[in-house]
Amino acid sequence: MDVEKVFHMTGGVGKTSYAENSSLQKKASDMVKHITMETIQELYYALTPKSLGIADLGCSSGPNSLSLMKDIVEVVEGISHKIFQPLPEFRVYLNDLPTNDFNSVFKSLPDFYRNIKKDRNEKGVNPSIFIAGYPGSFYGRLFPNNCLHFIFSSYSLHWLSKVPQALYDEHGKSKNKGNVYISGSSPPSVSEAYWNQFQEDFSLFLKSRSEELVTGGRMVLIILGRIGQDHVDRGNSFFWEILSRSLAISVSQGEIDKEKVDSYHVHFYAPSTNEIEDEVKREGSFEVEKLEMFEIEREVKNGGSYGSAVAMTVRAIQESMLCNHFGNDGIDLDTLFNNYGKIVDEEMAKEEINPITFVLVLKKL
């Protein structure tokens, strides 16, 4: 499966769209907003560029990306006023895979520009903001040399460039049957395959960004992760365990073929802090300024269950891959994720599920 051609968050603004089911991602971004804004302040004080290059890698199709840009503009405005410098122009590059619903983002631009202008009419100064879409994989070069000052990426870098080939034997059969990700029943070669793929991808990501960022440029990266060396925990890996169990129910009910399920694996990896730091050090282009862990508190909207909210989020993320693998008519997603939500609620009644998120701040050397 060619991930770059298939994978995307569910587009549009419908009930199952990413735009309607990305509140957890927005909450995470808000929780580390102070870190993002502090990083912007330090960067702007140090470099004071006349044209500020900003990229959001993995912008997706929801409202979160433009919300961040509005915050950045406000922070830079405040600093410019303090140090008696003219406001820079803002070059904003929104990046995601080619299959992303960029149209949903572009349709919201008139409102974004209108709100920016409305908020600043009294001041008599309107910032020059140039926003463009940049489709393509961030596992490789995207931008010209030294054109960026700040890179932001939220909930994107735990997605690998591809499903590790080493998960399959010489006959193309899965070594991790019945599991979509690393589980307690997975052989050691499975976690090794995922780790090797993450190393390769993250190293390429760092090398590519080092050529695009100016010296002293910064990156703020929000990424799902894990505590310690054990790949199997009651956090991010457990949510994939629940998807495996939900697919097994669909098999038992005759809705999908077991062989199809056995060959379905996610292109995901939750690294530990040690793995992240080791890779940054090994690649050598960046200095780790900050690496913090946080957990997002449970949030339920409109009286629904937590399980249902998680199920809708996972569906918005996985729908494109599931439909490609099983066929649009080959899987009942409503039933699958209804079962998923029920299992989450049942498990939460027994013991908490605590997915871990890291915020990483890197400075270009």
Side-chain angles (χ1 to χ4, degrees), residues 61 64 83 116 221 232 236 293 347 362:
S61 55
N64 297 346
I83 62 176
I116 289 282
L221 312 174
V232 180
N236 292 303
M293 181 192 83
E347 289 293 339
L362 298 178

Side-chain angles (χ1 to χ4, degrees), residues 24 53 90 93 127 139 145 147 220 235 278 284 286:
L24 291 174
F90 296 84
Y93 307 102
Y139 293 122
N145 287 344
C147 73
V220 173
D278 287 349
F286 292 90

Side-chain angles (χ1 to χ4, degrees), residues 5 18 65 88 126 136 142 147 178 204 215 224 227 270 272 307 339 350:
K5 291 181 179 178
Y18 183 78
S65 186
N126 282 313
L142 286 166
C147 73
L204 180 57
T215 299
L224 292 173
I227 300 173
S272 66
N339 289 331
K350 299 175 192 174

